[in-house]
Amino acid sequence: MSYKDHLEEVEARLKRAAKGIPKKKADERAHFMKVKMPLLGLTVPQQRAAFKKGYGFSVRSLEEQLPVWDYVWHHARTHEAKIQGALYLGSLKPISDVDFVWSITKTWPDTINCWDQSDEVSKAFSYMFEVKPGLLYPQYKAWNGDENPWKRRQSIVGLFCYAQLHQKHPPLKKVLPLVKRLLGDEDYYVQKGVGWTLRETYNVYPQEALDFVLKHAGDIHPDAFSAAIEKMTPAEKSKVKAVRKEKRKRIRKVTK
C-alpha cells in the first residue's frame, strides 16, 4: 500500500467516528480551535480512541511507521487526521532513536494551523528535548525569530510543555533568552506561549522566574500575564501586580 492509501484509512475511520455529529457542533468546535482546515467535530477522547484502535500499518517498526505518519501529517485533509499523527508522535515514550525522529518531524511546525496541533507537537518535542537538548536547541533558537508564529510559539512551549511530565528540565540560560525575545511579539498565540512557558519555568525555578517577571513586569503582554503568574503565591502575585502597575504608569507618562 502507498502512503496515500494509509492516509485514506486514517481519514475513513475518523469520518465514520464523526457520523452523526451535527454540522453546527463541528463548526462551533472549529471556531473554538481557530483551525484553518476542515474539522469533523470529534472530541479529544474520540480522537484518542480512534488512534488507540491501531491502523493497518501500526504494527510496523518506528523506521517504517514514522514516514507514514509524516505523510499523514503533511497531507491530512482534516484537522483530526493531522492530530492522529501528533498522537503517534506523542506515544513514542521513551523515544528509542531521537535523531531519526527529529530528522523527520522537525518540519511538522511548517504546517501547524491551530493551537491544538501546536500543543500536541510541543508535548512530543519536549520529550525529545529532555533526551537530546543539544540536538533540538539550535532549531528552537532559529524558530524563535522565524516569521511563522507557530514556530516562534514552538521555540518556547517545546522546552517544557508541562514541566511535571519530565525528570530533567532545561537550564534557565536556555529558557529565559528565548522568552525575553518574544515579550514584545504581536501574535496572540505566541503571547499565550510566553505566559505558559513562564508559568512552567516558575514550577521548576520559582525564585528565578519571579525575579524575571518582576524585572519585566511592565513588558509582559496582557495576553501572557495571567498565565505567567498563575502558580505564584498570593503575596508574590500582589508584588508583581504592584510593580507592573507602577512600571506601566511610567511608560504611559513617557509616551504622552
Side-chain angles (χ1 to χ4, degrees), residues 165-208:
L165 299 177
H166 304 286
Q167 298 296 316
K168 294 166 54 180
H169 302 103
L172 284 167
K173 65 181 181 180
K174 289 187 178 295
V175 177
L176 295 182
L178 297 184
V179 173
K180 183 179 178 180
R181 189 176 181 183
L182 297 178
L183 289 179
D185 201 285
E186 297 180 356
D187 186 85
Y188 173 78
Y189 290 107
V190 171
Q191 286 302 333
K192 297 302 282 187
V194 167
W196 178 341
T197 305
L198 285 174
R199 180 194 66 210
E200 297 305 313
T201 302
Y202 178 86
N203 285 337
V204 180
Y205 307 106
Q207 186 59 54
E208 293 87 345

mmCIF file of all heavy atoms in Angstrom, residues 165-208:
data_model
loop_
_atom_site.group_PDB
_atom_site.id
_atom_site.type_symbol
_atom_site.label_atom_id
_atom_site.label_comp_id
_atom_site.label_asym_id
_atom_site.label_seq_id
_atom_site.Cartn_x
_atom_site.Cartn_y
_atom_site.Cartn_z
ATOM 1 N N LEU A 165 5.819 16.619 33.515
ATOM 2 C CA LEU A 165 5.961 15.426 32.683
ATOM 3 C C LEU A 165 7.410 14.956 32.584
ATOM 4 O O LEU A 165 7.671 13.880 32.053
ATOM 5 C CB LEU A 165 5.423 15.694 31.268
ATOM 6 C CG LEU A 165 3.942 16.060 31.136
ATOM 7 C CD1 LEU A 165 3.617 16.354 29.672
ATOM 8 C CD2 LEU A 165 3.053 14.950 31.662
ATOM 9 N N HIS A 166 8.339 15.756 33.094
ATOM 10 C CA HIS A 166 9.754 15.478 32.853
ATOM 11 C C HIS A 166 10.567 15.320 34.131
ATOM 12 O O HIS A 166 10.272 15.935 35.160
ATOM 13 C CB HIS A 166 10.355 16.597 32.008
ATOM 14 C CG HIS A 166 9.637 16.819 30.715
ATOM 15 N ND1 HIS A 166 9.747 15.960 29.646
ATOM 16 C CD2 HIS A 166 8.759 17.785 30.325
ATOM 17 C CE1 HIS A 166 8.989 16.389 28.657
ATOM 18 N NE2 HIS A 166 8.374 17.489 29.040
ATOM 19 N N GLN A 167 11.605 14.498 34.023
ATOM 20 C CA GLN A 167 12.546 14.317 35.120
ATOM 21 C C GLN A 167 13.663 15.355 35.055
ATOM 22 O O GLN A 167 14.181 15.790 36.077
ATOM 23 C CB GLN A 167 13.164 12.910 35.059
ATOM 24 C CG GLN A 167 12.158 11.782 35.217
ATOM 25 C CD GLN A 167 11.499 11.783 36.580
ATOM 26 O OE1 GLN A 167 12.172 11.966 37.597
ATOM 27 N NE2 GLN A 167 10.195 11.583 36.607
ATOM 28 N N LYS A 168 14.032 15.749 33.829
ATOM 29 C CA LYS A 168 15.096 16.729 33.615
ATOM 30 C C LYS A 168 14.503 17.959 32.936
ATOM 31 O O LYS A 168 13.618 17.839 32.086
ATOM 32 C CB LYS A 168 16.204 16.137 32.744
ATOM 33 C CG LYS A 168 16.950 14.991 33.401
ATOM 34 C CD LYS A 168 17.783 14.215 32.387
ATOM 35 C CE LYS A 168 18.713 15.092 31.594
ATOM 36 N NZ LYS A 168 19.515 14.309 30.611
ATOM 37 N N HIS A 169 15.015 19.126 33.304
ATOM 38 C CA HIS A 169 14.495 20.368 32.751
ATOM 39 C C HIS A 169 15.610 21.214 32.160
ATOM 40 O O HIS A 169 16.761 21.140 32.618
ATOM 41 C CB HIS A 169 13.754 21.161 33.830
ATOM 42 C CG HIS A 169 12.622 20.413 34.452
ATOM 43 N ND1 HIS A 169 12.705 19.842 35.703
ATOM 44 C CD2 HIS A 169 11.384 20.097 33.977
ATOM 45 C CE1 HIS A 169 11.566 19.238 35.990
ATOM 46 N NE2 HIS A 169 10.754 19.368 34.955
ATOM 47 N N PRO A 170 15.293 22.042 31.182
ATOM 48 C CA PRO A 170 16.331 22.880 30.573
ATOM 49 C C PRO A 170 16.819 23.935 31.554
ATOM 50 O O PRO A 170 16.052 24.434 32.382
ATOM 51 C CB PRO A 170 15.604 23.529 29.384
ATOM 52 C CG PRO A 170 14.161 23.503 29.761
ATOM 53 C CD PRO A 170 13.975 22.243 30.539
ATOM 54 N N PRO A 171 18.090 24.289 31.490
ATOM 55 C CA PRO A 171 18.613 25.335 32.370
ATOM 56 C C PRO A 171 18.044 26.698 31.998
ATOM 57 O O PRO A 171 17.656 26.935 30.847
ATOM 58 C CB PRO A 171 20.126 25.274 32.133
ATOM 59 C CG PRO A 171 20.259 24.728 30.744
ATOM 60 C CD PRO A 171 19.130 23.749 30.592
ATOM 61 N N LEU A 172 18.007 27.588 32.969
ATOM 62 C CA LEU A 172 17.448 28.922 32.743
ATOM 63 C C LEU A 172 18.149 29.663 31.603
ATOM 64 O O LEU A 172 17.514 30.433 30.876
ATOM 65 C CB LEU A 172 17.554 29.751 34.028
ATOM 66 C CG LEU A 172 16.542 29.410 35.119
ATOM 67 C CD1 LEU A 172 16.963 30.063 36.427
ATOM 68 C CD2 LEU A 172 15.145 29.864 34.715
ATOM 69 N N LYS A 173 19.455 29.422 31.451
ATOM 70 C CA LYS A 173 20.203 30.132 30.414
ATOM 71 C C LYS A 173 19.731 29.764 29.018
ATOM 72 O O LYS A 173 20.012 30.490 28.054
ATOM 73 C CB LYS A 173 21.700 29.864 30.554
ATOM 74 C CG LYS A 173 22.110 28.418 30.320
ATOM 75 C CD LYS A 173 23.610 28.238 30.515
ATOM 76 C CE LYS A 173 24.048 26.797 30.267
ATOM 77 N NZ LYS A 173 25.505 26.624 30.457
ATOM 78 N N LYS A 174 19.007 28.648 28.896
ATOM 79 C CA LYS A 174 18.441 28.268 27.604
ATOM 80 C C LYS A 174 16.989 28.729 27.463
ATOM 81 O O LYS A 174 16.491 28.883 26.354
ATOM 82 C CB LYS A 174 18.514 26.752 27.413
ATOM 83 C CG LYS A 174 19.920 26.215 27.190
ATOM 84 C CD LYS A 174 19.891 24.742 26.848
ATOM 85 C CE LYS A 174 21.289 24.201 26.580
ATOM 86 N NZ LYS A 174 21.918 24.791 25.392
ATOM 87 N N VAL A 175 16.320 28.929 28.591
ATOM 88 C CA VAL A 175 14.895 29.273 28.571
ATOM 89 C C VAL A 175 14.656 30.778 28.465
ATOM 90 O O VAL A 175 13.972 31.258 27.550
ATOM 91 C CB VAL A 175 14.186 28.725 29.836
ATOM 92 C CG1 VAL A 175 12.723 29.157 29.855
ATOM 93 C CG2 VAL A 175 14.300 27.213 29.904
ATOM 94 N N LEU A 176 15.195 31.530 29.396
ATOM 95 C CA LEU A 176 14.841 32.941 29.524
ATOM 96 C C LEU A 176 15.227 33.811 28.321
ATOM 97 O O LEU A 176 14.459 34.712 27.954
ATOM 98 C CB LEU A 176 15.429 33.509 30.816
ATOM 99 C CG LEU A 176 14.854 32.883 32.105
ATOM 100 C CD1 LEU A 176 15.457 33.553 33.331
ATOM 101 C CD2 LEU A 176 13.326 32.961 32.123
ATOM 102 N N PRO A 177 16.367 33.570 27.657
ATOM 103 C CA PRO A 177 16.660 34.380 26.467
ATOM 104 C C PRO A 177 15.625 34.208 25.357
ATOM 105 O O PRO A 177 15.278 35.178 24.667
ATOM 106 C CB PRO A 177 18.038 33.860 26.023
ATOM 107 C CG PRO A 177 18.663 33.349 27.274
ATOM 108 C CD PRO A 177 17.530 32.722 28.031
ATOM 109 N N LEU A 178 15.114 32.985 25.193
ATOM 110 C CA LEU A 178 14.099 32.746 24.169
ATOM 111 C C LEU A 178 12.785 33.431 24.543
ATOM 112 O O LEU A 178 12.104 33.993 23.685
ATOM 113 C CB LEU A 178 13.876 31.242 23.985
ATOM 114 C CG LEU A 178 15.067 30.414 23.487
ATOM 115 C CD1 LEU A 178 14.643 28.962 23.256
ATOM 116 C CD2 LEU A 178 15.641 30.996 22.204
ATOM 117 N N VAL A 179 12.422 33.377 25.820
ATOM 118 C CA VAL A 179 11.194 34.032 26.283
ATOM 119 C C VAL A 179 11.325 35.549 26.154
ATOM 120 O O VAL A 179 10.411 36.222 25.658
ATOM 121 C CB VAL A 179 10.898 33.649 27.746
ATOM 122 C CG1 VAL A 179 9.725 34.468 28.283
ATOM 123 C CG2 VAL A 179 10.592 32.160 27.857
ATOM 124 N N LYS A 180 12.456 36.078 26.577
ATOM 125 C CA LYS A 180 12.660 37.530 26.551
ATOM 126 C C LYS A 180 12.516 38.084 25.140
ATOM 127 O O LYS A 180 11.935 39.163 24.942
ATOM 128 C CB LYS A 180 14.042 37.865 27.110
ATOM 129 C CG LYS A 180 14.315 39.359 27.194
ATOM 130 C CD LYS A 180 15.692 39.629 27.782
ATOM 131 C CE LYS A 180 15.979 41.129 27.832
ATOM 132 N NZ LYS A 180 17.332 41.404 28.406
ATOM 133 N N ARG A 181 13.006 37.353 24.165
ATOM 134 C CA ARG A 181 12.954 37.820 22.779
ATOM 135 C C ARG A 181 11.515 37.944 22.274
ATOM 136 O O ARG A 181 11.239 38.705 21.345
ATOM 137 C CB ARG A 181 13.741 36.859 21.883
ATOM 138 C CG ARG A 181 13.929 37.350 20.458
ATOM 139 C CD ARG A 181 14.794 36.397 19.675
ATOM 140 N NE ARG A 181 15.013 36.856 18.310
ATOM 141 C CZ ARG A 181 15.691 36.176 17.395
ATOM 142 N NH1 ARG A 181 16.251 35.024 17.704
ATOM 143 N NH2 ARG A 181 15.829 36.652 16.174
ATOM 144 N N LEU A 182 10.598 37.213 22.903
ATOM 145 C CA LEU A 182 9.214 37.208 22.427
ATOM 146 C C LEU A 182 8.274 38.063 23.282
ATOM 147 O O LEU A 182 7.074 38.091 23.031
ATOM 148 C CB LEU A 182 8.688 35.763 22.385
ATOM 149 C CG LEU A 182 9.421 34.824 21.421
ATOM 150 C CD1 LEU A 182 8.839 33.420 21.495
ATOM 151 C CD2 LEU A 182 9.352 35.341 19.984
ATOM 152 N N LEU A 183 8.798 38.773 24.261
ATOM 153 C CA LEU A 183 7.935 39.576 25.136
ATOM 154 C C LEU A 183 7.125 40.607 24.359
ATOM 155 O O LEU A 183 5.989 40.915 24.720
ATOM 156 C CB LEU A 183 8.774 40.274 26.209
ATOM 157 C CG LEU A 183 9.371 39.375 27.299
ATOM 158 C CD1 LEU A 183 10.197 40.207 28.276
ATOM 159 C CD2 LEU A 183 8.281 38.609 28.040
ATOM 160 N N GLY A 184 7.701 41.134 23.296
ATOM 161 C CA GLY A 184 7.000 42.145 22.509
ATOM 162 C C GLY A 184 6.308 41.605 21.277
ATOM 163 O O GLY A 184 5.836 42.383 20.429
ATOM 164 N N ASP A 185 6.252 40.290 21.146
ATOM 165 C CA ASP A 185 5.641 39.679 19.960
ATOM 166 C C ASP A 185 4.168 40.080 19.850
ATOM 167 O O ASP A 185 3.454 40.155 20.850
ATOM 168 C CB ASP A 185 5.751 38.154 20.038
ATOM 169 C CG ASP A 185 5.627 37.489 18.677
ATOM 170 O OD1 ASP A 185 4.490 37.421 18.148
ATOM 171 O OD2 ASP A 185 6.656 37.050 18.145
ATOM 172 N N GLU A 186 3.711 40.315 18.635
ATOM 173 C CA GLU A 186 2.351 40.798 18.425
ATOM 174 C C GLU A 186 1.329 39.678 18.230
ATOM 175 O O GLU A 186 0.123 39.938 18.187
ATOM 176 C CB GLU A 186 2.309 41.745 17.217
ATOM 177 C CG GLU A 186 3.146 43.013 17.422
ATOM 178 C CD GLU A 186 3.092 43.943 16.220
ATOM 179 O OE1 GLU A 186 2.466 43.562 15.207
ATOM 180 O OE2 GLU A 186 3.667 45.044 16.295
ATOM 181 N N ASP A 187 1.786 38.441 18.111
ATOM 182 C CA ASP A 187 0.856 37.340 17.852
ATOM 183 C C ASP A 187 0.229 36.842 19.157
ATOM 184 O O ASP A 187 0.932 36.579 20.133
ATOM 185 C CB ASP A 187 1.582 36.188 17.149
ATOM 186 C CG ASP A 187 0.629 35.077 16.732
ATOM 187 O OD1 ASP A 187 0.045 35.184 15.653
ATOM 188 O OD2 ASP A 187 0.472 34.109 17.520
ATOM 189 N N TYR A 188 -1.082 36.693 19.144
ATOM 190 C CA TYR A 188 -1.825 36.266 20.337
ATOM 191 C C TYR A 188 -1.345 34.917 20.851
ATOM 192 O O TYR A 188 -1.114 34.746 22.059
ATOM 193 C CB TYR A 188 -3.320 36.198 20.013
ATOM 194 C CG TYR A 188 -4.168 35.607 21.116
ATOM 195 C CD1 TYR A 188 -4.505 36.353 22.236
ATOM 196 C CD2 TYR A 188 -4.633 34.292 21.026
ATOM 197 C CE1 TYR A 188 -5.287 35.812 23.255
ATOM 198 C CE2 TYR A 188 -5.412 33.739 22.039
ATOM 199 C CZ TYR A 188 -5.730 34.508 23.146
ATOM 200 O OH TYR A 188 -6.499 33.966 24.148
ATOM 201 N N TYR A 189 -1.187 33.928 19.946
ATOM 202 C CA TYR A 189 -0.821 32.585 20.386
ATOM 203 C C TYR A 189 0.633 32.486 20.809
ATOM 204 O O TYR A 189 0.987 31.647 21.645
ATOM 205 C CB TYR A 189 -1.165 31.558 19.301
ATOM 206 C CG TYR A 189 -2.659 31.392 19.161
ATOM 207 C CD1 TYR A 189 -3.343 31.905 18.070
ATOM 208 C CD2 TYR A 189 -3.399 30.763 20.160
ATOM 209 C CE1 TYR A 189 -4.723 31.789 17.971
ATOM 210 C CE2 TYR A 189 -4.775 30.643 20.072
ATOM 211 C CZ TYR A 189 -5.430 31.155 18.965
ATOM 212 O OH TYR A 189 -6.796 31.048 18.883
ATOM 213 N N VAL A 190 1.468 33.333 20.269
ATOM 214 C CA VAL A 190 2.845 33.399 20.762
ATOM 215 C C VAL A 190 2.830 33.930 22.198
ATOM 216 O O VAL A 190 3.516 33.397 23.075
ATOM 217 C CB VAL A 190 3.717 34.300 19.864
ATOM 218 C CG1 VAL A 190 5.084 34.528 20.511
ATOM 219 C CG2 VAL A 190 3.906 33.658 18.494
ATOM 220 N N GLN A 191 2.019 34.954 22.436
ATOM 221 C CA GLN A 191 1.937 35.502 23.789
ATOM 222 C C GLN A 191 1.358 34.493 24.784
ATOM 223 O O GLN A 191 1.791 34.426 25.939
ATOM 224 C CB GLN A 191 1.119 36.794 23.791
ATOM 225 C CG GLN A 191 1.848 37.982 23.197
ATOM 226 C CD GLN A 191 3.160 38.279 23.903
ATOM 227 O OE1 GLN A 191 3.338 37.972 25.077
ATOM 228 N NE2 GLN A 191 4.105 38.880 23.172
ATOM 229 N N LYS A 192 0.388 33.710 24.339
ATOM 230 C CA LYS A 192 -0.128 32.658 25.225
ATOM 231 C C LYS A 192 0.981 31.655 25.540
ATOM 232 O O LYS A 192 1.056 31.117 26.652
ATOM 233 C CB LYS A 192 -1.313 31.948 24.574
ATOM 234 C CG LYS A 192 -2.522 32.852 24.305
ATOM 235 C CD LYS A 192 -3.048 33.515 25.559
ATOM 236 C CE LYS A 192 -3.871 32.580 26.407
ATOM 237 N NZ LYS A 192 -4.519 33.300 27.543
ATOM 238 N N GLY A 193 1.859 31.425 24.557
ATOM 239 C CA GLY A 193 3.011 30.548 24.785
ATOM 240 C C GLY A 193 4.013 31.157 25.749
ATOM 241 O O GLY A 193 4.637 30.443 26.552
ATOM 242 N N VAL A 194 4.179 32.482 25.706
ATOM 243 C CA VAL A 194 5.074 33.171 26.641
ATOM 244 C C VAL A 194 4.568 32.985 28.072
ATOM 245 O O VAL A 194 5.324 32.619 28.984
ATOM 246 C CB VAL A 194 5.172 34.675 26.298
ATOM 247 C CG1 VAL A 194 5.843 35.445 27.446
ATOM 248 C CG2 VAL A 194 5.952 34.876 25.004
ATOM 249 N N GLY A 195 3.268 33.215 28.264
ATOM 250 C CA GLY A 195 2.693 33.041 29.600
ATOM 251 C C GLY A 195 2.814 31.615 30.088
ATOM 252 O O GLY A 195 3.163 31.365 31.258
ATOM 253 N N TRP A 196 2.526 30.685 29.195
ATOM 254 C CA TRP A 196 2.624 29.252 29.514
ATOM 255 C C TRP A 196 4.040 28.905 29.974
ATOM 256 O O TRP A 196 4.241 28.252 31.006
ATOM 257 C CB TRP A 196 2.226 28.466 28.273
ATOM 258 C CG TRP A 196 2.292 26.969 28.359
ATOM 259 C CD1 TRP A 196 2.983 26.201 29.250
ATOM 260 C CD2 TRP A 196 1.622 26.042 27.497
ATOM 261 N NE1 TRP A 196 2.802 24.866 28.989
ATOM 262 C CE2 TRP A 196 1.972 24.739 27.913
ATOM 263 C CE3 TRP A 196 0.781 26.198 26.401
ATOM 264 C CZ2 TRP A 196 1.506 23.593 27.266
ATOM 265 C CZ3 TRP A 196 0.307 25.052 25.758
ATOM 266 C CH2 TRP A 196 0.652 23.768 26.194
ATOM 267 N N THR A 197 5.036 29.335 29.203
ATOM 268 C CA THR A 197 6.416 28.979 29.495
ATOM 269 C C THR A 197 6.903 29.619 30.789
ATOM 270 O O THR A 197 7.637 28.985 31.566
ATOM 271 C CB THR A 197 7.326 29.364 28.319
ATOM 272 O OG1 THR A 197 6.818 28.761 27.117
ATOM 273 C CG2 THR A 197 8.752 28.895 28.550
ATOM 274 N N LEU A 198 6.483 30.844 31.058
ATOM 275 C CA LEU A 198 6.862 31.474 32.318
ATOM 276 C C LEU A 198 6.219 30.752 33.500
ATOM 277 O O LEU A 198 6.843 30.605 34.566
ATOM 278 C CB LEU A 198 6.473 32.958 32.312
ATOM 279 C CG LEU A 198 7.365 33.858 31.456
ATOM 280 C CD1 LEU A 198 6.803 35.267 31.403
ATOM 281 C CD2 LEU A 198 8.799 33.884 32.003
ATOM 282 N N ARG A 199 5.002 30.298 33.325
ATOM 283 C CA ARG A 199 4.351 29.517 34.386
ATOM 284 C C ARG A 199 5.118 28.237 34.676
ATOM 285 O O ARG A 199 5.371 27.896 35.837
ATOM 286 C CB ARG A 199 2.921 29.175 33.969
ATOM 287 C CG ARG A 199 2.137 28.353 34.990
ATOM 288 C CD ARG A 199 0.881 27.783 34.370
ATOM 289 N NE ARG A 199 1.204 26.808 33.338
ATOM 290 C CZ ARG A 199 0.440 26.568 32.258
ATOM 291 N NH1 ARG A 199 -0.668 27.246 32.061
ATOM 292 N NH2 ARG A 199 0.807 25.658 31.383
ATOM 293 N N GLU A 200 5.499 27.515 33.614
ATOM 294 C CA GLU A 200 6.229 26.268 33.798
ATOM 295 C C GLU A 200 7.643 26.514 34.326
ATOM 296 O O GLU A 200 8.191 25.701 35.071
ATOM 297 C CB GLU A 200 6.257 25.473 32.488
ATOM 298 C CG GLU A 200 4.879 25.026 31.996
ATOM 299 C CD GLU A 200 4.117 24.227 33.052
ATOM 300 O OE1 GLU A 200 4.710 23.308 33.652
ATOM 301 O OE2 GLU A 200 2.927 24.527 33.276
ATOM 302 N N THR A 201 8.241 27.627 33.933
ATOM 303 C CA THR A 201 9.551 27.989 34.468
ATOM 304 C C THR A 201 9.445 28.202 35.977
ATOM 305 O O THR A 201 10.316 27.758 36.745
ATOM 306 C CB THR A 201 10.083 29.271 33.795
ATOM 307 O OG1 THR A 201 10.155 29.071 32.376
ATOM 308 C CG2 THR A 201 11.477 29.621 34.312
ATOM 309 N N TYR A 202 8.382 28.865 36.394
ATOM 310 C CA TYR A 202 8.162 29.081 37.829
ATOM 311 C C TYR A 202 8.003 27.746 38.563
ATOM 312 O O TYR A 202 8.473 27.600 39.699
ATOM 313 C CB TYR A 202 6.923 29.945 38.040
ATOM 314 C CG TYR A 202 6.600 30.182 39.506
ATOM 315 C CD1 TYR A 202 7.200 31.219 40.215
ATOM 316 C CD2 TYR A 202 5.715 29.344 40.179
ATOM 317 C CE1 TYR A 202 6.931 31.425 41.565
ATOM 318 C CE2 TYR A 202 5.434 29.543 41.526
ATOM 319 C CZ TYR A 202 6.047 30.583 42.214
ATOM 320 O OH TYR A 202 5.773 30.772 43.554
ATOM 321 N N ASN A 203 7.354 26.779 37.930
ATOM 322 C CA ASN A 203 7.167 25.476 38.566
ATOM 323 C C ASN A 203 8.495 24.780 38.847
ATOM 324 O O ASN A 203 8.588 23.949 39.762
ATOM 325 C CB ASN A 203 6.294 24.576 37.685
ATOM 326 C CG ASN A 203 4.831 24.969 37.728
ATOM 327 O OD1 ASN A 203 4.374 25.593 38.685
ATOM 328 N ND2 ASN A 203 4.086 24.604 36.690
ATOM 329 N N VAL A 204 9.512 25.102 38.067
ATOM 330 C CA VAL A 204 10.826 24.465 38.218
ATOM 331 C C VAL A 204 11.821 25.378 38.942
ATOM 332 O O VAL A 204 12.584 24.930 39.801
ATOM 333 C CB VAL A 204 11.400 24.075 36.834
ATOM 334 C CG1 VAL A 204 12.761 23.402 36.994
ATOM 335 C CG2 VAL A 204 10.437 23.149 36.090
ATOM 336 N N TYR A 205 11.808 26.660 38.575
ATOM 337 C CA TYR A 205 12.736 27.644 39.139
ATOM 338 C C TYR A 205 11.935 28.819 39.703
ATOM 339 O O TYR A 205 11.927 29.911 39.109
ATOM 340 C CB TYR A 205 13.694 28.156 38.059
ATOM 341 C CG TYR A 205 14.431 27.092 37.281
ATOM 342 C CD1 TYR A 205 14.073 26.781 35.962
ATOM 343 C CD2 TYR A 205 15.499 26.401 37.839
ATOM 344 C CE1 TYR A 205 14.750 25.820 35.235
ATOM 345 C CE2 TYR A 205 16.199 25.443 37.115
ATOM 346 C CZ TYR A 205 15.816 25.156 35.816
ATOM 347 O OH TYR A 205 16.495 24.208 35.087
ATOM 348 N N PRO A 206 11.238 28.635 40.807
ATOM 349 C CA PRO A 206 10.323 29.668 41.301
ATOM 350 C C PRO A 206 10.959 31.025 41.566
ATOM 351 O O PRO A 206 10.414 32.051 41.133
ATOM 352 C CB PRO A 206 9.737 29.051 42.578
ATOM 353 C CG PRO A 206 10.666 27.946 42.954
ATOM 354 C CD PRO A 206 11.223 27.427 41.671
ATOM 355 N N GLN A 207 12.090 31.067 42.251
ATOM 356 C CA GLN A 207 12.686 32.364 42.581
ATOM 357 C C GLN A 207 13.200 33.070 41.330
ATOM 358 O O GLN A 207 12.991 34.282 41.148
ATOM 359 C CB GLN A 207 13.834 32.191 43.584
ATOM 360 C CG GLN A 207 14.409 33.521 44.077
ATOM 361 C CD GLN A 207 13.367 34.399 44.753
ATOM 362 O OE1 GLN A 207 12.698 33.970 45.688
ATOM 363 N NE2 GLN A 207 13.209 35.629 44.272
ATOM 364 N N GLU A 208 13.868 32.329 40.462
ATOM 365 C CA GLU A 208 14.418 32.923 39.247
ATOM 366 C C GLU A 208 13.308 33.408 38.309
ATOM 367 O O GLU A 208 13.426 34.468 37.681
ATOM 368 C CB GLU A 208 15.317 31.918 38.525
ATOM 369 C CG GLU A 208 16.581 31.559 39.281
ATOM 370 C CD GLU A 208 16.379 30.409 40.272
ATOM 371 O OE1 GLU A 208 15.215 30.079 40.584
ATOM 372 O OE2 GLU A 208 17.406 29.861 40.732
#
